[in-house]
Amino acid sequence: MPIAPPLPTKVAPHLFVILGATGDLTGRKLLPALYRLKQQGELGEQSYILGTAVDTDIDDAGFRARCRRWLAADGVKPEELGSGWCDEHVFYQTLGSGGADEYAALAKRIAALEQQFKLPENRVFYLALPPSVFPTAISRLGEAGLNTSKGWVRLVIEKPFGRDLKSAELLNDIVHQHFKESQVYRIDHYLGKETVQNLLVFRFANSLFEPLWNRDRIECVEITVAETLGVEHRGGYYETAGAMRDMIQNHLTQLLTLTAMESPSSFDAQAIRREKAKVLLSVAPIGPEDVVFGQYTQGTVDAQAVPGYREEPGVAKDSSIETFAALRLEIANWRWHGVPFLLRTGKRMPRHVSQIVISFRRPPVSLFRPFGDCEIQNNSLVITVQPDEGFDLGFEIKKPGREIALDSSRLSFRYSEMFAPLPEAYETLLQDVLIGDPTLFVSDDWVEDSWRIYTPLLERRPPVIPYAAGTWGPEQAKSLVKDLGTQWITR
Amino acid sequence: MPIAPPLPTKVAPHLFVILGATGDLTGRKLLPALYRLKQQGELGEQSYILGTAVDTDIDDAGFRARCRRWLAADGVKPEELGSGWCDEHVFYQTLGSGGADEYAALAKRIAALEQQFKLPENRVFYLALPPSVFPTAISRLGEAGLNTSKGWVRLVIEKPFGRDLKSAELLNDIVHQHFKESQVYRIDHYLGKETVQNLLVFRFANSLFEPLWNRDRIECVEITVAETLGVEHRGGYYETAGAMRDMIQNHLTQLLTLTAMESPSSFDAQAIRREKAKVLLSVAPIGPEDVVFGQYTQGTVDAQAVPGYREEPGVAKDSSIETFAALRLEIANWRWHGVPFLLRTGKRMPRHVSQIVISFRRPPVSLFRPFGDCEIQNNSLVITVQPDEGFDLGFEIKKPGREIALDSSRLSFRYSEMFAPLPEAYETLLQDVLIGDPTLFVSDDWVEDSWRIYTPLLERRPPVIPYAAGTWGPEQAKSLVKDLGTQWITR
């Protein structure tokens, strides 16, 4: 059985090029994460950042000044930072209007820095750009010869990866014209490395659950990603997306594939990706009766009155974009045939929670039926991803006392009770890029296979039903679970 | 499917006759339990106690005075008790030397009391007697015509039920000469009703465990009943018994059958007894190499120096009685073939605990092997019967951090955390006798089938190996588990 060669444990000398370096993502996430990794000694001896953006009015000094402000805003004390790190490790090169000549100038600057610091031409290109600019930027990088080097070249792309199957295929085509798939790191920061690894260890290092993890034992699987927030300042973007594109196609489907996948042949990226892809290929077509869209109206969340979606800034007064989506699908393979998978996400829900609920079938007979209060509840396993990561096992016990009566109880485990806080998602993801571990990143076929499932639903969108902010979405969502004789379990 | 008729929920008017009423058991257990049941309104309107014993020097008044002292010693305040209950409900009749004429007198006294209080001739005969007297007492009751009445007659026998297969068969024969098996309640107070019911509900009201409860998923089952006490003042009795007779044949074998039994067809006594009996019939003969006997020598328990068994009062200086027994057996049926069941009991162990440990097989492959600290431990389910009843589920999680490393964790449940203290075992058992629920009592064939397993071991006793008080028995006990690549799990 081929085992992937072990990954290097140390980061090699490199240049980290950020395209869109003056934007929000760089300031709030990338730079702080790189700084903290550096402080922890995780970036090796030689790690340099080259920011590049449309801005022509700043130079190295100006960019470094911004970086200092960003780090200060992230809680890094100026006296801790000093002047050294930014001055010695951070550089800036304008891309101006993003023409071919400007990419040629970028290539020259990269070569100059690599010569100055005797770097082995290991390069990361991080596209911190609006998705509309991805195709151009990728083509220009390729045309400027920046897709290869004497070292390694890695291209990092933030979601969204297309907005339907066709655009995703197009984007992948452009990527593959210039880069090999093994060079590409599609980042989905929602699933931190820890969470994914916790899930896989939980499933495959325990013998308790695997024998139960199938259609014979499981009645349904419910995956909920609920936010209490509305669209906030992202109304303009959200109007072009909606809950299906923003959450279901990526985050919830990641949780779905991690939950449903077969055991991989090993714990390396390729083996895990292969199993996740197999799950997507087995998803049966979703009928229109199995999808419910909703849009929040004004209501109350956390005891605060909040406006409806159509009153948010940047949102059309007659918008038909869904802020809630619930759907029911089936994975048509030996393990899962006939088990409903219920996916649900929404903004302005009653609470902020991301949860996978495995609801087991009830015992075939109730021995305790003749004795009064003995209705047996389904055993359940609740895997909480956010907040307060952990899991709960729900089971039945006997109430003490002379009569036989059942009661439901829970065994709970919380990572936070056992361990210190987990590292920030971006830190581990950037480190993985630098080490070359693609496990947590999204492959080209995963993106396309996922869009293949959902694109038909977006082409014949169901009606968008209003729901009051602070509720679990439209009443109609209950129709998806009504034959299960139950409510949605996460509440 | 025949369902047993529902049991009455109320206790019918009755006379509770205690044979051996001046003894320790009556004073410490029976009378306090009956009094508390009365206080809780569980005994119905008409419940009378007739004590009888060899003592000829006391009468009703003298016995009532004793009862008051016993209740006071049990924490009943004299002002709470008043004079009413004992005077109105408690009576005494001597049995003298226990001859036929004295039993005839007892029968007359019973008839007189029943006439006085207009009772429907419902009678309990509780043998609070030394086992050597059982046969005579049972025969005399029968010969005096006390085995039948216009109401119901129930005979309660305390363990031990024989001291080997032959004596158990003999005792059952005598019982059956005079009583129907359905009239007989063999009491084994070790397993309170709650514990048994908790175990059965845990197994059969949850779908999580049943699919795992077999040879494919379970590596071994370990049952430990450990005491920190020595023989105390019971040296004389213990010299005629030993750990096999005192604990293994009854208590541990009860736990064994409850753990290993198939699902009964219903929750009634007959159905449960049938399944328990099937387990015993499937136990394969136990080889001499699968049994280890031990005897404690002086040592330290709970930081106190304690004497060895042979120094205890009433014990022979060269006694070869075992105070520790460990054995390994197999249940040769479809569910359990090849799974070792490990039974162990001892006095003067390091801690007081009764536990069933289900140790599950490990996953067939370790995906995490290539990554350092990733040895997978067996998942386990630990059912604690005493003290602090509850259970623990042991499983593997990922240690947070950049490396993949496993850690073992536990989910715990304690009945005491959820519920008020459980009722005293004798209260529920006596109430069951009075209601006529034999579920928790031992049947004639259970007794014989259990002796059939262990009698061969007692006929060719293994050597008795000394162990220091405060240890888990002789080192040799480890030989029983050495092929499992493990230690005894309860420690």
Side-chain angles (χ1 to χ4, degrees):
Chain A
M1 189 177 66
I3 298 257
L7 294 169
T9 53
K10 282 199 172 171
V11 170
H14 64 271
L15 185 64
F16 197 103
V17 185
I18 304 174
L19 286 82
T22 53
D24 201 42
L25 180 69
T26 307
R28 285 194 306 116
K29 295 290 183 182
L30 303 183
L31 196 78
L34 287 168
Y35 177 73
R36 285 182 209 285
L37 285 170
K38 176 77 190 172
Q39 291 302 100
Q40 295 158 29
E42 299 285 353
L43 291 191
E45 288 302 301
Q46 289 194 288
S47 171
Y48 300 91
I49 297 171
L50 174 60
T52 167
V54 290
D55 308 61
T56 54
D57 57 343
I58 55 170
D59 55 5
D60 287 353
F63 185 60
R64 286 169 191 158
R66 284 198 192 202
C67 291
R68 285 196 197 90
R69 281 203 302 277
W70 284 329
L71 291 174
D74 197 65
V76 180
K77 292 193 186 111
E79 61 271 24
E80 177 199 328
L81 181 62
S83 64
W85 185 70
C86 285
D87 288 351
E88 289 164 24
H89 296 89
V90 178
F91 305 90
Y92 183 80
Q93 170 78 25
T94 184
L95 266 182
S97 59
D101 47 342
E102 280 146 329
Y103 274 84
L106 175 63
K108 270 193 195 147
R109 181 74 196 275
I110 288 171
L113 286 168
E114 285 174 341
Q115 199 163 29
Q116 180 183 348
F117 297 113
K118 300 195 171 53
L119 296 179
E121 299 190 14
N122 293 329
R123 299 165 188 167
V124 174
F125 293 100
Y126 198 112
L127 303 196
L129 298 169
S132 58
V133 199
F134 286 174
T136 318
I138 293 164
S139 302
R140 292 273 189 253
L141 285 171
E143 287 153 12
L146 287 168
N147 48 354
T148 57
S149 75
K150 288 181 197 148
W152 45 251
V153 176
R154 292 172 188 153
L155 178 72
V156 186
I157 311 177
E158 284 264 341
K159 72 144 191 159
F161 317 116
R163 46 178 287 109
D164 53 24
L165 177 57
K166 204 168 145 192
S167 57
E169 285 173 336
L170 205 63
L171 180 59
N172 278 339
D173 280 351
I174 293 169
V175 168
H176 293 153
Q177 277 169 33
H178 302 283
F179 292 85
K180 286 183 230 157
E181 176 63 17
S182 62
Q183 293 180 295
V184 185
Y185 290 73
R186 290 177 196 80
I187 213 163
D188 184 350
H189 70 276
Y190 171 76
L191 280 184
K193 182 169 189 162
E194 287 288 326
T195 300
V196 174
Q197 291 185 340
N198 288 342
L199 253 165
L200 294 176
V201 166
F202 185 79
R203 283 196 56 195
F204 299 118
N206 291 294
S207 59
L208 274 178
F209 302 108
E210 184 57 20
L212 304 169
W213 216 259
N214 58 61
R215 62 194 301 268
D216 296 328
R217 307 300 176 189
I218 290 178
E219 185 165 286
C220 68
V221 177
E222 180 182 307
I223 302 176
T224 297
V225 176
E227 299 174 289
T228 51
L229 292 177
V231 285
E232 311 297 303
H233 62 282
R234 294 169 68 234
Y237 156 72
Y238 204 81
E239 280 282 281
T240 69
M244 283 291 286
R245 290 191 166 93
D246 194 47
M247 301 293 281
I248 299 266
Q249 181 269 337
N250 36 57
H251 302 334
L252 279 95
T253 304
Q254 284 288 350
L255 294 176
L256 172 74
T257 51
L258 286 166
T259 305
M261 68 189 257
E262 300 294 315
S263 173
S265 61
S266 75
F267 206 64
D268 76 69
Q270 208 46 49
I272 293 170
R273 285 176 165 197
R274 192 176 296 135
E275 294 307 330
K276 283 162 68 176
K278 269 169 57 185
V279 174
L280 294 180
L281 293 173
S282 299
V283 173
I286 302 167
E289 71 283 6
D290 285 334
V291 188
V292 174
F293 277 9
Q295 186 187 75
Y296 64 85
T297 57
Q298 61 186 28
T300 306
V301 177
D302 288 339
Q304 293 237 291
V306 297
Y309 176 68
R310 293 182 181 182
E311 286 109 63
E312 303 274 13
V315 173
K317 294 296 159 219
D318 61 350
S319 171
S320 63
I321 284 296
E322 80 285 3
T323 63
F324 171 95
L327 57 90
R328 173 173 171 149
L329 59 80
E330 188 181 313
I331 299 171
N333 63 17
W334 279 70
R335 191 188 280 262
W336 294 118
H337 174 79
V339 179
F341 281 76
L342 300 154
L343 273 55
R344 181 176 56 159
T345 187
K347 292 188 179 293
R348 293 293 189 208
M349 302 270 104
R351 66 189 181 101
H352 167 60
V353 64
S354 299
Q355 243 173 21
I356 303 163
V357 180
I358 314 289
S359 180
F360 295 97
R361 294 188 193 283
R362 290 177 220 196
V365 288
S366 171
L367 287 182
F368 314 101
R369 203 173 356 101
F371 309 88
D373 182 15
C374 286
E375 205 187 333
I376 296 184
Q377 303 301 313
N378 302 63
N379 288 164
S380 64
L381 173 68
V382 179
I383 302 169
T384 303
V385 173
Q386 282 179 0
D388 206 5
E389 192 168 347
F391 40 86
D392 298 86
L393 200 60
F395 61 97
E396 301 289 286
I397 53 165
K398 184 188 160 306
K399 274 187 203 161
R402 300 210 162 81
E403 275 96 55
I404 297 194
L406 303 186
D407 207 349
S408 296
S409 184
R410 279 193 164 202
L411 292 172
S412 289
F413 173 82
R414 289 287 165 273
Y415 287 96
S416 60
E417 282 168 20
M418 256 190 92
F419 300 111
L422 307 178
E424 216 272 324
Y426 265 96
E427 290 177 30
T428 51
L429 289 167
L430 294 184
Q431 196 186 16
D432 283 352
V433 170
L434 290 167
I435 281 175
D437 180 355
T439 311
L440 294 172
F441 299 86
V442 181
S443 67
D444 51 351
D445 48 0
W446 194 96
V447 169
E448 292 178 19
D449 293 336
S450 177
W451 278 121
R452 195 166 287 122
I453 296 169
Y454 301 113
T455 300
L457 302 181
L458 291 168
E459 284 169 353
R460 40 169 173 66
R461 295 167 57 80
V464 175
I465 304 161
Y467 64 96
T471 68
W472 287 104
E475 276 293 306
Q476 286 81 342
K478 289 186 187 160
S479 69
L480 300 181
V481 297
K482 69 171 186 288
D483 63 318
L484 300 170
T486 177
Q487 299 260 330
W488 287 82
I489 298 165
T490 296
R491 262 172 300 179
Chain B
M1 188 178 65
I3 298 257
L7 293 169
T9 54
K10 282 197 174 173
V11 170
H14 64 271
L15 185 64
F16 197 103
V17 184
I18 304 174
L19 287 83
T22 53
D24 202 40
L25 179 69
T26 306
R28 285 194 307 115
K29 295 290 183 183
L30 302 182
L31 195 79
L34 287 169
Y35 177 72
R36 284 180 211 288
L37 284 171
K38 175 77 189 170
Q39 291 302 99
Q40 295 158 30
E42 299 287 352
L43 291 191
E45 288 302 301
Q46 289 194 289
S47 172
Y48 300 90
I49 298 171
L50 174 60
T52 167
V54 289
D55 309 62
T56 53
D57 56 345
I58 56 171
D59 55 6
D60 287 352
F63 185 59
R64 287 170 190 156
R66 282 198 194 202
C67 289
R68 285 195 197 91
R69 282 202 303 277
W70 283 330
L71 291 173
D74 197 64
V76 179
K77 293 194 186 108
E79 62 272 24
E80 177 200 328
L81 182 61
S83 64
W85 186 70
C86 284
D87 288 350
E88 288 164 25
H89 297 87
V90 179
F91 305 89
Y92 183 80
Q93 169 79 24
T94 185
L95 268 181
S97 59
D101 48 342
E102 280 147 329
Y103 273 86
L106 175 64
K108 271 195 194 144
R109 181 73 195 275
I110 288 171
L113 286 168
E114 285 173 343
Q115 199 163 26
Q116 179 183 350
F117 296 113
K118 300 194 169 54
L119 297 179
E121 300 191 14
N122 294 330
R123 300 165 189 167
V124 175
F125 293 98
Y126 198 112
L127 305 195
L129 299 169
S132 57
V133 198
F134 286 174
T136 317
I138 292 164
S139 301
R140 292 273 190 253
L141 284 171
E143 287 152 13
L146 286 168
N147 49 353
T148 57
S149 75
K150 288 182 199 149
W152 45 250
V153 176
R154 292 173 188 154
L155 177 71
V156 186
I157 312 177
E158 284 264 341
K159 71 142 193 161
F161 316 116
R163 47 178 286 108
D164 54 23
L165 177 58
K166 204 169 146 190
S167 56
E169 285 174 337
L170 204 65
L171 180 60
N172 278 338
D173 280 350
I174 292 168
V175 168
H176 292 155
Q177 276 170 35
H178 301 283
F179 292 86
K180 286 184 228 156
E181 177 62 16
S182 62
Q183 293 181 294
V184 185
Y185 291 73
R186 292 176 195 80
I187 213 163
D188 184 349
H189 70 276
Y190 171 74
L191 279 185
K193 182 170 191 161
E194 287 289 325
T195 300
V196 173
Q197 291 185 340
N198 288 343
L199 252 165
L200 293 176
V201 166
F202 185 79
R203 282 196 58 194
F204 299 119
N206 291 294
S207 59
L208 275 178
F209 301 108
E210 183 58 18
L212 305 169
W213 216 258
N214 58 60
R215 61 194 302 269
D216 296 328
R217 308 300 177 188
I218 291 178
E219 185 164 283
C220 68
V221 177
E222 182 182 307
I223 301 176
T224 298
V225 175
E227 298 174 289
T228 51
L229 293 177
V231 286
E232 311 297 302
H233 61 282
R234 294 170 66 234
Y237 157 73
Y238 205 81
E239 280 282 280
T240 69
M244 281 293 285
R245 290 191 166 93
D246 193 46
M247 301 294 280
I248 299 267
Q249 181 268 336
N250 36 55
H251 302 333
L252 280 94
T253 304
Q254 284 288 351
L255 294 177
L256 171 75
T257 51
L258 287 166
T259 305
M261 68 190 256
E262 300 294 316
S263 173
S265 62
S266 75
F267 206 65
D268 75 69
Q270 208 47 47
I272 294 171
R273 284 176 166 198
R274 193 176 296 135
E275 294 307 329
K276 284 163 67 175
K278 271 169 57 185
V279 174
L280 294 181
L281 293 174
S282 299
V283 172
I286 302 167
E289 70 283 7
D290 285 334
V291 188
V292 174
F293 277 9
Q295 187 187 74
Y296 63 85
T297 58
Q298 62 186 25
T300 307
V301 177
D302 288 338
Q304 292 236 294
V306 297
Y309 176 68
R310 293 181 183 182
E311 287 110 61
E312 302 274 14
V315 173
K317 294 295 160 219
D318 61 351
S319 171
S320 64
I321 285 295
E322 79 284 3
T323 62
F324 172 96
L327 58 89
R328 174 173 171 149
L329 58 80
E330 189 181 312
I331 299 171
N333 63 17
W334 280 69
R335 191 189 280 263
W336 294 118
H337 174 79
V339 178
F341 281 76
L342 300 152
L343 273 56
R344 181 177 57 159
T345 187
K347 291 187 180 293
R348 293 293 189 209
M349 302 272 103
R351 65 188 182 102
H352 166 60
V353 64
S354 299
Q355 245 173 19
I356 303 164
V357 181
I358 313 289
S359 181
F360 296 97
R361 295 188 192 283
R362 290 177 221 196
V365 289
S366 171
L367 287 182
F368 314 100
R369 202 174 356 101
F371 308 89
D373 182 15
C374 286
E375 207 188 331
I376 296 183
Q377 304 300 313
N378 301 61
N379 287 165
S380 64
L381 174 68
V382 179
I383 302 169
T384 303
V385 173
Q386 282 178 0
D388 206 5
E389 191 167 348
F391 40 88
D392 298 86
L393 199 60
F395 62 100
E396 301 288 286
I397 52 164
K398 184 188 161 306
K399 274 186 202 160
R402 298 208 164 82
E403 275 97 55
I404 297 192
L406 303 185
D407 208 349
S408 296
S409 185
R410 276 191 169 206
L411 292 172
S412 289
F413 173 82
R414 289 287 165 273
Y415 288 96
S416 60
E417 282 169 20
M418 255 189 93
F419 300 111
L422 307 179
E424 218 272 324
Y426 265 96
E427 289 177 32
T428 49
L429 288 168
L430 293 185
Q431 196 186 15
D432 283 352
V433 170
L434 290 167
I435 281 177
D437 180 356
T439 312
L440 295 171
F441 299 86
V442 181
S443 66
D444 52 351
D445 49 358
W446 196 96
V447 169
E448 292 178 21
D449 292 337
S450 177
W451 278 122
R452 196 166 285 122
I453 296 169
Y454 301 114
T455 299
L457 303 180
L458 291 167
E459 283 169 354
R460 42 169 171 66
R461 295 168 58 79
V464 175
I465 305 161
Y467 64 97
T471 70
W472 286 105
E475 275 294 305
Q476 284 82 342
K478 289 184 186 161
S479 69
L480 300 180
V481 296
K482 68 171 187 287
D483 63 318
L484 300 170
T486 178
Q487 298 259 330
W488 287 81
I489 298 164
T490 295
R491 262 171 301 179

